[in-house]
Amino acid sequence: MSSDARAGGQSDAFGELLRGSLWPTLVAAVVCVVVGLFSSPMAAWSAALGATLVVGFFSLTLLVMKRTADLPPTTVMLVVMVSYTVKVIVLGIVMFAVRDVSWLSGYAVGVTITVCALVWLFFELRAYKRLRIFTYDPDGAAALPGQEDRT
């Protein structure tokens, strides 16, 4: 398989993962915002903020993985860990900045982040499972030269 075909396949895979998890998460976010409206407009805005954080952070993870998919595994791991660390720091800064504001419902943000994160992860795993990416070569075509028949 050429590197162009492999890159196209990886791009399709990341697109499938994004589509498979983004739409259900947006539905969950809308449900959280509507439920928040029954409580107060503040809860609805808080739910929207929580959903935005989840969708932004999880989409960023897929984007980073897509951009680094052709790099050596150690480089991918380094980039992913750095991006994870940056996201945790940004989340900490956001949570610190809004800890005492009166226009935000901490309960609504927390519930929405939890619900949207669980929905995203469930549907991302579901999309990944449907991709049928082999972790081994079922045809044995990737055997090393001279190693084809070692029975």
Side-chain angles (χ1 to χ4, degrees):
M1 177 182 287
S2 71
S3 64
D4 291 338
R6 189 176 329 120
Q10 288 173 347
S11 178
D12 292 345
F14 286 110
E16 287 295 319
L17 290 173
L18 182 62
R19 282 187 297 278
S21 52
L22 179 63
W23 295 114
T25 304
L26 291 177
V27 170
V30 168
V31 169
C32 288
V33 169
V34 169
V35 169
L37 276 174
F38 285 111
S39 175
S40 69
M42 179 180 65
W45 283 112
S46 301
L49 174 66
T52 302
L53 285 171
V54 170
V55 169
F57 281 17
F58 280 96
S59 297
L60 181 64
T61 298
L62 284 177
L63 178 66
V64 168
M65 292 298 292
K66 179 180 180 178
R67 298 285 183 207
T68 61
D70 291 329
L71 298 176
T74 53
T75 306
V76 172
M77 186 65 171
L78 174 67
V79 170
V80 170
M81 291 305 296
V82 167
S83 71
Y84 173 78
T85 303
V86 168
K87 288 187 296 186
V88 168
I89 291 170
V90 168
L91 183 61
I93 290 170
V94 168
M95 291 297 130
F96 182 77
V98 299
R99 73 185 182 282
D100 291 328
V101 296
S102 61
W103 53 267
L104 189 70
S105 167
Y107 182 76
V109 171
V111 168
T112 303
I113 287 175
T114 302
V115 167
C116 289
L118 289 174
V119 168
W120 182 288
L121 290 172
F122 175 81
F123 282 97
E124 187 177 44
L125 287 171
R126 181 175 174 245
Y128 181 78
K129 189 175 176 183
R130 290 181 173 192
L131 286 175
R132 304 236 184 248
I133 297 174
F134 292 114
T135 56
Y136 63 94
D137 186 10
D139 298 327
L144 296 173
Q147 305 256 333
E148 291 87 8
D149 191 21
R150 289 227 163 192
T151 55

